[in-house]
Amino acid sequence: MPDAIIAEGLVKRYGQQVALDGLDLAVPEGTVTALLGPNGAGKTTAVRVFTTLLSPDAGRATVAGIDVLRNPQALRSLIGASGQYAAVDEYLTGFENLEMVGRLYHLGIQRSKERARELLERFRLADAADRPVKGYSGGMRRRLDLAGALVANPPVLFLDEPTTGLDPRARLDLWDVIEELVAGGTTLLLTTQYLEEADRLADSIAVIDRGTVIAEGTADELKSMVGGDRIELTVDRADSLATAEDALRTLADGEIQLEPGLRRITIPVSDGSQALVEAIGRLTAHGMQIHDVGLRRPSLDDVFLTLTGPGMSMPTNGENRIPTDELQTEGVIR
Ligand SMILES: Nc1ncnc2c1ncn2[C@@H]1O[C@H](COP(=O)(O)OP(=O)(O)OP(=O)(O)O)[C@@H](O)[C@H]1O
Ligand SMILES: [Mg+2]
């Protein structure tokens, strides 16, 4: 599948401030990639380059086969974008805003009106359709702006923090809309601070920090990078722990931890659910009472904090501080 969005060594500086520092990215057609990164990582800058609002100082960006610098005009008709801050006309109504977008995309009067009605309905704004936007709440503006990005059914969509400021209901609605679009073949690059969102929507996640991609992979691959599954078992008596450790040693894929005060034993394992069943079987065979047992997987939060936290932020020599021998998957730490 060809890549719908490509960045090669993108650099963007604002004066002394380096916002993009050699960003590389490839988003295959019809897939969703989430750019995940802390404040100031360069997410918005990257989106602005892809959507022709900003020229890079070095490197190359191609969207839908078109170089962003060479033919921005042609590119704009193929992309839809929603910025981090809603860009809507305060003095027009919601309907008029969307209709105007349709006209800008040359949809024609009739089609523009139809599309505006459809999207206002879809984003639960039908009741407010004929009110000027200046009376809209923050979340309503956000939804209107997102609807605007979809008016022309563009094949490539860029959404910068699409659900920031939306209530849980509106967020779930948008996730549904996004899933429908992607099922229909749309390519999507979205930025988010919400790991849950990246986990739910994205085929691939690129973790970005200080203007460069420091890790990428599926949510599962990234989770494996910060450590694999582990079984946490609490037994009834602290003096059973040693027996449990002996019984489970051959299951461990790393160092077993004992916490006698909590009567807890933690075993790193490679095949979580299989190992869990086996562990329970072995302890039961030893006549041991298990008080509590669970399979723990690292969350994307763990990934985010580990990769971008102060202790882990990438040093200037680009050295990767996560021991690569801990990588068990195809995710890549750069
Ligand atoms: N117009 C500007 N002038 C000067 N510096 C800027 C400008 N826009 C962005 N920057 C700087 O570039 C860097 C990247 O900013 P960017 O807005 O791309 O980050 P971000 O990942 O979108 O952050 P956030 O999560 O807060 O939205 C930051 O250090 C920021 O201070
Ligand atoms: Mg931003």
Side-chain angles (χ1 to χ4, degrees), residues 14-15 17-20 37-46 84-85 160-161 193 208:
Y14 295 101
Q17 182 69 45
V18 180
L20 295 180
N39 292 142
K43 302 180 298 294
T44 296
T45 305
Q84 188 166 4
Y85 306 100
D160 194 4
E161 302 206 16
Q193 306 273 359
I208 158 172

Side-chain angles (χ1 to χ4, degrees), residues 74-205:
L75 180 53
R76 279 179 212 139
S77 64
L78 295 175
I79 58 180
S82 152
Q84 188 166 4
Y85 306 100
V88 285
D89 190 318
E90 295 275 306
Y91 294 96
L92 298 181
T93 66
F95 178 79
E96 288 163 348
N97 262 281
L98 294 186
E99 189 194 16
M100 183 181 69
V101 176
R103 301 290 292 279
L104 289 174
Y105 276 96
H106 308 295
L107 292 192
I109 299 176
Q110 209 42 48
R111 185 71 193 121
S112 296
K113 287 186 190 298
E114 276 167 28
R115 198 65 188 132
R117 293 272 170 230
E118 268 167 46
L119 286 164
L120 287 163
E121 196 70 46
R122 192 73 184 84
F123 283 88
R124 296 182 200 272
L125 289 169
D127 290 346
D130 299 319
R131 276 169 31 204
V133 168
K134 62 177 169 7
Y136 279 25
S137 73
M140 289 164 79
R141 285 159 195 254
R142 200 84 193 82
R143 269 140 60 202
L144 186 65
D145 186 53
L146 289 160
L150 305 186
V151 165
N153 261 323
V156 187
L157 202 54
F158 295 88
L159 303 179
D160 194 4
E161 302 206 16
T163 59
T164 299
L166 294 187
D167 65 31
R169 177 53 175 272
R171 176 169 302 163
L172 290 175
D173 277 350
L174 181 67
W175 287 358
D176 285 345
V177 173
I178 288 176
E179 281 169 348
E180 279 169 28
L181 287 170
V182 173
T186 304
T187 306
L188 170 63
L189 181 70
L190 70 98
T191 75
T192 183
Q193 306 273 359
Y194 300 105
L195 301 137
E196 191 196 353
E197 185 160 284
D199 212 347
R200 157 96 182 249
L201 295 176
D203 300 301
S204 176
I205 299 172

